[in-house]
Amino acid sequence: MKKWKEIKKHGYNIILNEGGQNIAYSPNSGVKIIEEDGYAFKNLSKSGKLEKYEDWRLPVEERAKDLASKMSIEQIAGLMLYSAHQSISTKDDFFSKAFAGTYNGKKLEECDAKITDLTDQQKNFLLNDNLRHVLITVVDDAKTSAVWNNNVQAFVEKTGLGIPVNTSSDPRHGASADTEFNAGAGGDISKWPEPLGLAATFDSELVRNFGHIAAKEYRALGIATALSPQVDIATEPRWMRFNGTLGEDPILSRDLGEAYCDGFQTSYGENEINDGWGYDSVNAMVKHWPGGGSGEGGRDAHYAYGKFAVYPGNNFDDHLIPFTEGAFKLKGKTKKASAVMPYYTISYNQDKKNGENVGNSYNKYIINDLLRDEYKYDGVVCTDWMITKDNHVVDAFISGKCWGVETLSEDERHYKALMAGVDQFGGNNEVKPVLNAYEMGVKEHGEEFMRARFEKSAARLLLNIFRTGLFENPYVDVDKSQELVGNPEFMQAGYDAQLKSLIMLKNKNNVLPINERKKYIFQKEK
């Protein structure tokens, strides 16, 4: 007996499975619907039969392993890529222009393309490099982001094995949009305190509620992964990323980091699929392992002069607390942050096994021995952006950051990071260096070993796409997105949090609180 019905939406169709998961697909993608036991399933593989990874009734772990086993090395290598920043904006600002693409070789203003269309560069890395993880920055508004998401998902649905795009974002909910780390702010999304402001509330439940709200807005924009929280301990006040942290106290950062990840990742009610994961869930990529707040002299590792993290107080272990006791021990059912990003820095003289001073993503002790083996972390490890590229300018922000491995080739850097335990390369749109790294591994360890190594990373990466329901429905309802993002309730919650984040250091002559005067007149100085 048929247990499903189909509804046409703008740009995609949605199938409602009675008592099961709903699925959505583009009618132009060539994807066929298979019926089994009365339920509908998407035949993303175009094989004509229901594959395990297409069966939403099976555990996501089983589905991820099945799909990984079916993927070619070229497809897995593409899955290991995380795109450079993508702009979906017509605004006349630095970030919109710096990360803009072309359309049939022309700039947006030179042709009749829409900002919601895929750029030449996006089509290339999605189709030819098999990339499926995209980082977006500025967007015009919720509608623009939602339409672009649906166009991207329809494009990849008809290629290869039909793996959806997992779109990510740096923090978007701060009040300011003038820094690279918060370039997505602005527009109509709710406004909250910066992370250091959240810390100033000393309120874990407020942060958890922020995570719930922010995740709903992210998913309405088509975003399923947050490149946050930044739980680095702010031990160096001269560090330029100080305001992105949750403060200098490891215990406070532990508690707020746990609440942040739990809030972002947990779905409830009808939006929960299984184990707390679902259609309101956003993967939290906690950063920066093993702590980036201890840069030598306060210098930042985005620059060649800031490549070292030092620990003059022998307090390396304190920097691990927000990860090992917070982000990896969530109160909710999702249990741990689904991804980790190491920082650019060389954690100087902290390699207890090999004594190697290289960037954290290249250090086998830092990633494999410490993170994987000692702390049993089995989620995705994604490098920070552009660590495999050459660095040519000591004070350039947007340049390669291959600290400690400057003499290696780009291919060798990929191989070293893979052997250290990394799953994914941030800011890399090109698959060729990953494939070359695979060949290096085949020569050293054999094809069976390297195939197993690649499948292990593929299963981890796919798991984060399955758990958030993207294989069933990667599309977003444009009208609902416009209604939900930045709605009055969310705006009010953000405003209330901003008020609570204010700290009065001194109340000279008991000026506050002001009970009588309600209006303020400011006279401009002559």
Side-chain angles (χ1 to χ4, degrees):
M1 187 179 77
K2 184 177 178 179
K3 301 177 182 178
W4 57 275
K5 62 179 180 179
E6 188 165 357
I7 300 173
K8 292 185 178 181
K9 294 278 189 176
H10 180 66
Y12 67 97
N13 293 357
I14 187 165
I15 293 177
L16 308 178
N17 278 304
E18 182 183 343
Q21 286 195 46
N22 300 331
I23 60 176
Y25 70 103
S26 168
N28 301 317
S29 67
V31 169
K32 303 299 183 184
I33 300 301
I34 291 178
E35 183 177 313
E36 185 171 292
D37 298 331
Y39 295 110
F41 304 85
K42 289 192 290 184
N43 189 212
L44 295 167
S45 65
K46 296 90 177 172
S47 65
K49 64 176 183 178
L50 183 62
E51 307 289 348
K52 283 186 177 181
Y53 83 89
E54 299 165 341
D55 190 342
W56 43 258
R57 298 169 299 183
L58 297 177
V60 288
E61 293 81 4
E62 184 177 348
R63 297 175 69 190
K65 288 181 180 179
D66 176 67
L67 179 51
S69 71
K70 288 178 168 60
M71 295 175 72
S72 67
I73 292 300
E74 288 77 14
Q75 289 170 326
I76 294 176
L79 195 65
M80 289 177 168
L81 303 178
Y82 223 126
S83 84
H85 301 67
Q86 304 295 306
S87 165
I88 315 170
S89 172
T90 57
K91 298 172 185 175
D92 186 23
D93 58 46
F94 171 78
F95 295 107
S96 297
K97 292 181 177 180
F99 302 128
T102 58
Y103 304 82
N104 293 321
K106 296 181 180 180
K107 295 181 180 179
L108 182 66
E109 60 270 20
E110 298 172 343
C111 61
D112 58 358
K114 300 176 182 178
I115 191 62
T116 52
D117 294 337
L118 273 65
T119 65
D120 299 333
Q121 293 76 15
Q122 290 162 0
K123 290 178 180 178
N124 181 60
F125 63 57
L126 291 169
L127 185 61
N128 298 323
D129 294 286
N130 294 298
L131 184 149
R132 289 297 181 272
H133 292 80
V134 178
L135 170 61
I136 64 170
T137 55
V138 284
V139 299
D140 275 351
D141 49 39
K143 179 179 179 180
T144 299
S145 185
V147 173
W148 179 85
N149 170 79
N150 290 352
N151 288 340
V152 170
Q153 301 295 2
F155 181 84
V156 298
E157 192 172 68
K158 61 186 176 184
T159 65
L161 294 163
I163 299 172
V165 164
N166 183 355
T167 302
S168 75
S169 172
D170 277 310
R172 309 186 75 84
H173 284 81
S176 171
D178 60 357
T179 64
E180 187 268 340
F181 316 108
N182 198 31
D188 49 10
I189 204 164
S190 62
K191 302 294 188 296
W192 295 71
E194 298 288 351
L196 196 60
L198 291 176
T201 69
F202 297 91
D203 189 338
S204 294
E205 294 314 304
L206 180 148
V207 174
R208 201 179 311 276
N209 186 49
F210 159 70
H212 289 314
I213 290 175
K216 287 178 181 293
E217 292 185 305
Y218 271 36
R219 291 305 299 264
L221 296 171
I223 300 168
T225 292
L227 303 187
S228 57
Q230 183 188 335
V231 297
D232 307 298
I233 300 302
T235 56
E236 176 48 83
R238 293 170 292 182
W239 188 33
M240 72 176 188
R241 301 193 69 176
F242 195 97
N243 72 324
T245 73
L246 294 170
E248 78 284 1
D249 184 344
I251 303 305
L252 179 63
S253 188
R254 174 199 69 186
D255 294 344
L256 299 186
E258 181 278 326
Y260 189 112
C261 294
D262 186 54
F264 263 91
Q265 291 190 170
T266 305
S267 292
Y268 295 97
E270 63 180 10
N271 288 317
E272 181 182 0
I273 298 172
N274 196 29
D275 295 330
W277 291 100
Y279 294 107
D280 280 344
S281 297
V282 172
N283 295 293
M285 186 180 290
V286 62
K287 58 190 186 183
H288 303 87
W289 178 265
S294 55
E296 184 181 25
R299 296 184 288 272
D300 184 68
H302 279 83
Y303 306 93
Y305 52 67
K307 63 181 69 174
F308 292 104
V310 294
Y311 307 90
N314 295 320
N315 59 351
F316 177 81
D317 289 344
D318 288 345
H319 292 261
L320 305 182
I321 290 173
F323 297 92
T324 60
E325 298 182 23
F328 299 168
K329 294 182 179 179
L330 305 185
K331 293 180 180 179
K333 291 190 286 185
T334 65
K335 296 182 181 179
K336 65 171 74 70
S338 65
V340 168
M341 182 190 296
Y343 204 36
Y344 298 117
T345 45
I346 298 170
S347 294
Y348 191 70
N349 283 350
Q350 298 306 311
D351 184 341
K352 308 302 183 185
K353 190 172 184 179
N354 304 307
E356 190 176 31
N357 282 310
V358 292
N360 290 314
S361 289
Y362 296 109
N363 193 301
K364 191 172 183 179
Y365 171 78
I366 294 291
I367 303 300
N368 187 70
D369 297 352
L370 193 62
L371 179 61
R372 297 282 194 207
D373 291 344
E374 184 171 344
Y375 290 107
K376 309 301 179 186
Y377 184 77
D378 57 358
V380 167
V381 175
C382 177
T383 76
D384 213 328
W385 263 231
M386 297 179 67
I387 74 157
T388 58
K389 299 292 185 181
D390 290 332
N391 179 267
H392 301 289
V393 185
V394 70
D395 61 348
F397 185 84
I398 301 179
S399 182
K401 307 167 202 319
C402 50
W403 312 144
V405 293
E406 291 88 345
T407 60
L408 298 183
S409 69
E410 191 170 341
D411 295 344
E412 289 169 334
R413 291 169 193 155
H414 281 81
Y415 181 54
K416 185 173 179 62
L418 283 169
M419 292 300 100
V422 159
D423 300 300
Q424 197 168 32
F425 300 94
N428 185 355
N429 298 357
E430 303 160 354
V431 76
K432 187 176 179 180
V434 185
L435 294 175
N436 291 341
Y438 176 81
E439 293 301 327
M440 291 178 182
V442 170
K443 288 181 180 179
E444 183 174 355
H445 299 287
E447 190 165 359
E448 183 179 354
F449 174 91
M450 282 307 292
R451 174 74 204 192
R453 170 66 188 86
F454 265 47
E455 283 193 29
K456 179 179 286 189
S457 285
R460 288 173 180 149
L461 291 161
L462 291 167
L463 191 59
N464 290 348
I465 306 178
F466 277 111
R467 289 192 292 204
T468 49
L470 292 176
F471 271 91
E472 276 56 70
N473 183 8
Y475 299 94
V476 293
D477 186 312
V478 176
D479 293 332
K480 288 184 179 179
S481 292
Q482 288 180 284
E483 294 175 5
L484 188 142
V485 177
N487 68 64
E489 179 187 350
F490 292 175
M491 286 290 192
Q492 185 64 47
Y495 178 72
D496 291 343
Q498 290 192 45
L499 293 180
K500 189 168 185 178
S501 73
L502 298 176
I503 302 295
M504 182 170 63
L505 299 179
K506 190 173 184 179
N507 189 14
K508 189 175 182 180
N509 299 325
N510 296 317
V511 171
L512 298 177
I514 299 173
N515 296 318
E516 297 179 1
R517 289 182 295 165
K518 301 298 183 183
K519 296 181 180 180
Y520 305 88
I521 299 176
F522 297 91
Q523 184 176 358
K524 193 173 183 179
E525 293 184 5
K526 296 180 180 179

